[in-house]
Each structure stands twice: as structure tokens, then as C-alpha cells.
Amino acid sequence: MILSRRRGYQSLASAIGIALLSTSAIANTRVLSEDWQEVEQQAQGQSVYWNAWGGDANVNAYIEWVADQLDERWDIDLIHVKLDDTAAAVSRVLAEKSAGNNDQGAIDLIWINGENFAAMKANDLLFGPYAERLPNFALTNPSEHKEMITDFTIPTEGYESPWGKAQLTFYYDSQRIKSPPQDLTELLDWAQQNPGRFAYPLVPDFHGSTFLKQALIELTDNPEVLQQPVTEADVEAITAPLWEYLDQLHPYSWREGRHFPASGPELKSLMGDGELSLAFTFNPAEPAAAVSNYQLPPSTRSYVLKDGTIGNVHFVAIPFNASHKAAAMVTANFLLSPEAQAYKQRLDVWGDPTVLDLELLDDQQRMALTPADESSARLPPGALSNTLPEPHPSWMEAVEAGWLKRYGSR
């Protein structure tokens, strides 16, 4: 499915041809050259159509809170356009460009990262560079934290602004497991001793795809090759250990690997029901938040694998033809504010980790971003320091296609 989507991007882009200098380009230059107070003045009274995944109630509620803040402070009307798949927003911007719509686009802001950002950047569909123009961007300390300016190995070059962080985090029921597996080899041994107690979500759900990438990084002899496009590698040889591993794991997985949970939330539900004993999430705070919400038992514990787990930053981007670029920039800057980041990180709100460097904040801001609760389900301090970089976006497409070919018909 992902490969077909990519071919669609390329086909549309070819039809567009050479981009023309337009009123959009002139308007872009004007917005970027204005000082920040002028950007805020221009944003007042504008609407922002924010295309963002709408599959989580907590995330949706947080965006509603952001909308209230923007309305109160800048008279900005934020409309959350809820998506099932970010690729739909990318396709819409491509279609608008092919139709010659260069300055009246329907989308002002997109929650994005990975292959969708790579596709938009490759097809010149992004406004900017704008991220460095945001006053709060410096608080991410990008010179020290390269993940703030790199997205799945692709340099962002100011065409998207960081919003939050994710890292593959395992969690388990300590009433059932005393010593959880610390790498993929131990996980296979544990699954064989505890059949039916582990699962990963159906691919291409991003939780399932991320598990495949984690396994690929750990099982390949040369993980460095994953930082390059697949066109420069022998895909069959590099992915062979992954398929061999899954062939061994599936007979001992939930429902013997013939069925898979549809998503990360379903995986969590199976843990809450006691059907599974070991699972994972891409939000490190989710297990603690789920315990506080009575979705998981108090005996839940979190950890990362001993050699690290895959992680990334998620961003917001502005399409090249956004109708309300100034308001979109003000929104992106507010999302980076210590206040908005602290509220987002609360377990009872979303629990999404901050992208800000705490060393650059004052005492009050740092305290607001330092977890005050002592949930035993939360990762210990420093546990996320060993983050494995995302492979090049083309590897996600390769492993998803390989998985669907081998196991998709079950």
C-alpha cells in the first residue's frame, strides 16, 4: 500500500512540471522577512486548518485546548481537520499544485514526519524555511540535538518545526514477568516459553511497522546501511534475518500469529484485559498514563531494550500554498512554548515528551516540565538516552511491502 502511495506522489509530481514563480512565492518571502511582532499582527483574525491525525481522544482534546489558547491570545480560529492517514493531506497539496492553486490552499498546517515529510520536501510542497524564524525554536537547542533538524535521516532545513518526541518503549505486567526480555533474542526465547502472551500490531499500522524496523536494526549485521536509501543496498539479503526471525516468533505469538491487533490502542487493551503480558508503545509516558486512567494494572512497568530502541521527533509543517501562513507560524511557535509543551506532557492530558532543552529554560519552566508524580509505571530518568535513529524512509516501505507479501493474506 505504501509503495503504491509513493508511486502516486511521483506520478502527480511529474505531471506538474517546472514550478513557476507565483504570487505565492512573493507572499512567502514577505512573511519570512517580517519581524515576529508583524507576523503576530498579520495572524490576528486568521483561520488555521490543521490537518492532524484524529485517532486518539487525548490528542484531540489537547488540540482543542490549543485552539482555545490561540483564540484567546491572537484571535486565531484553529480548525482540527482529523485524518486517518497523513498521506491524504500530502496528496491534497499535490493535487492543488497540479491544478495551479499556489496561494489559496485548503491546508495551513500538517502534523507530519517520516515518509510524508520526505515526499513533500522532494516535490517542493513546503513553505519556508520558517522554523528558525519561530522565537521558541531556539529552546530546542538544535545545535546539540540533531534530531530536532533531522527527520528519518532527511535534513529538515527549516521546513518543519519540532512538536514532540517518541521512542519505542516496552511495558509488562510485573505480576506475570519478573525479568522481561532485554533484546530480540531474549524476546523470542520468552515468547516460546510463554506462548500467546506477546503480539505486535498489524502492518502497516505505524506501531507494527516500528517494531519491524526495531527488529531489522537489531538483527542486521550492518545497521549503518539502513541510513541510506534501499536503492543502494541488497534489500533481500539485509531483510532476510528479519523474516527468519518472524517465522520463528509467529507460532508463539498471540493467536499463533494468524491474527494481529489492529493498532497500538488495541494492543494496550489486550494488556489491560490480561490477555497479553508484554507489549510496547511509541509514547514512553503511555503506560503510566494508562495506569492512572485505570486502563492498565498498577503492576505495569516500562523499560527500553538494553541496546536502545528506535525513536524520532514529530513535527508540524506548512504547505507552500497555505492560505494563512502567518497564523500557521504563530500556531507552530505556540506549540513550542514551555507552557504548551508542559501541558502536553502531563499524564492526564497526553503525556507526549517535550522537545525543549531543559537547560535553556528558567527554573519555573524547568519545574513545569519535570514530572512531579512518582508513577512506578513511568520510565526511570535517563532511560531514553539510548535512542536508535530511524532508518531512511524507503526502508519502512521495503519492510512493509515484504511483510504484506509474506504474512498479509493470513
Side-chain angles (χ1 to χ4, degrees):
M1 185 178 76
I2 299 301
L3 286 176
S4 298
R5 185 189 312 157
R6 184 177 180 81
R7 283 195 291 271
Y9 294 152
Q10 293 170 338
S11 178
L12 271 169
S14 298
I16 292 168
I18 301 173
L20 301 174
L21 180 62
S22 66
T23 55
S24 174
I26 297 172
N28 291 351
T29 302
R30 186 172 67 248
V31 172
L32 292 172
S33 64
E34 292 170 342
D35 69 34
W36 187 249
Q37 285 188 334
E38 291 178 344
V39 173
E40 289 184 312
Q41 290 174 358
Q42 187 176 334
Q44 289 185 358
Q46 291 187 346
S47 299
V48 172
Y49 288 86
W50 185 4
N51 282 231
W53 180 63
D56 185 281
N58 288 344
V59 174
N60 295 342
Y62 176 73
I63 292 177
E64 288 179 12
W65 175 83
V66 171
D68 292 340
Q69 302 302 311
L70 292 171
D71 180 39
E72 180 178 329
R73 303 179 192 206
W74 292 280
D75 189 27
I76 292 174
D77 182 20
L78 181 72
I79 298 100
H80 180 191
V81 180
K82 298 176 181 176
L83 301 176
D84 294 327
D85 189 342
T86 305
V90 180
S91 296
R92 176 154 191 169
V93 178
L94 265 172
E96 290 179 344
K97 187 172 184 178
S98 68
N101 181 352
N102 293 322
D103 50 18
Q104 296 295 319
I107 301 172
D108 297 306
L109 193 67
I110 305 177
W111 181 10
I112 196 169
N113 74 341
E115 62 167 352
N116 290 305
F117 171 71
M120 292 196 75
K121 188 181 181 189
N123 290 300
D124 296 325
L125 297 178
L126 295 166
F127 165 73
Y130 79 93
E132 287 81 358
R133 290 279 292 108
L134 308 179
N136 288 327
F137 178 73
L139 297 177
T140 66
N141 200 0
S143 61
E144 293 293 327
H145 305 293
K146 300 302 183 185
E147 67 271 24
M148 301 301 160
I149 50 176
T150 308
D151 188 352
F152 282 53
T153 76
I154 307 295
T156 62
E157 297 181 304
Y159 285 94
E160 58 181 0
S161 173
W163 186 27
K165 298 173 70 175
Q167 184 162 346
L168 194 65
T169 301
F170 286 76
Y171 60 99
Y172 63 101
D173 185 344
S174 62
Q175 292 293 325
R176 298 175 181 270
I177 305 176
K178 299 304 179 186
S179 300
Q182 297 297 315
D183 58 29
L184 269 293
T185 300
E186 291 187 14
L187 174 60
L188 178 58
D189 291 341
W190 181 88
Q192 291 172 337
Q193 296 167 17
N194 300 272
R197 306 298 296 175
F198 174 77
Y200 64 89
L202 184 67
V203 176
D205 172 83
F206 75 91
H207 292 90
S209 300
T210 301
F211 177 75
L212 298 189
K213 289 187 291 181
Q214 173 73 33
L216 182 63
I217 291 172
E218 192 167 333
L219 296 171
T220 184
D221 293 330
N222 183 19
E224 291 299 322
V225 73
L226 304 177
Q227 297 299 300
Q228 305 299 323
V230 294
T231 53
E232 301 177 14
D234 184 342
V235 177
E236 289 297 324
I238 292 170
T239 57
L242 172 63
W243 312 130
E244 181 180 349
Y245 179 85
L246 295 179
D247 286 344
Q248 296 179 67
L249 178 64
H250 285 169
Y252 301 97
S253 299
W254 181 68
R255 297 188 178 178
E256 299 179 340
R258 292 190 174 88
H259 299 279
F260 297 85
S263 63
E266 184 174 343
L267 193 68
K268 182 174 64 178
S269 178
L270 291 170
M271 283 289 290
D273 293 342
E275 197 162 346
L276 300 178
S277 299
L278 175 68
F280 58 85
T281 174
F282 214 35
N283 179 350
E286 184 177 9
V291 169
S292 67
N293 293 331
Y294 306 103
Q295 295 175 295
L296 292 176
S299 53
T300 300
R301 300 291 183 271
S302 302
Y303 73 107
V304 294
L305 301 180
K306 64 179 182 181
D307 292 326
T309 53
I310 196 168
N312 64 44
V313 172
H314 52 90
F315 300 83
V316 292
I318 302 172
F320 80 102
N321 63 343
S323 298
H324 311 105
K325 296 181 179 68
M329 289 176 66
V330 170
T331 301
N333 188 58
F334 176 71
L335 295 176
L336 278 175
S337 67
E339 177 186 2
Q341 288 279 305
Y343 187 70
K344 179 165 65 75
Q345 189 174 273
R346 282 173 41 175
L347 291 183
D348 61 342
V349 176
W350 178 357
D352 194 44
T354 184
V355 292
L356 304 184
D357 186 332
L358 300 188
E359 296 300 319
L360 300 182
L361 306 181
D362 62 35
D363 290 343
Q364 184 174 2
Q365 292 168 336
R366 190 180 305 114
M367 184 176 298
L369 282 159
T370 303
D373 65 276
E374 297 181 354
S375 172
S376 55
R378 187 194 290 274
L379 283 171
L384 297 178
S385 59
N386 192 4
T387 304
L388 303 178
E390 286 274 6
H392 186 276
S394 55
W395 282 101
M396 175 179 266
E397 300 166 2
V399 296
E400 287 176 341
W403 190 95
L404 291 169
K405 178 181 178 181
R406 287 167 175 79
Y407 312 114
S409 61
R410 294 187 175 189

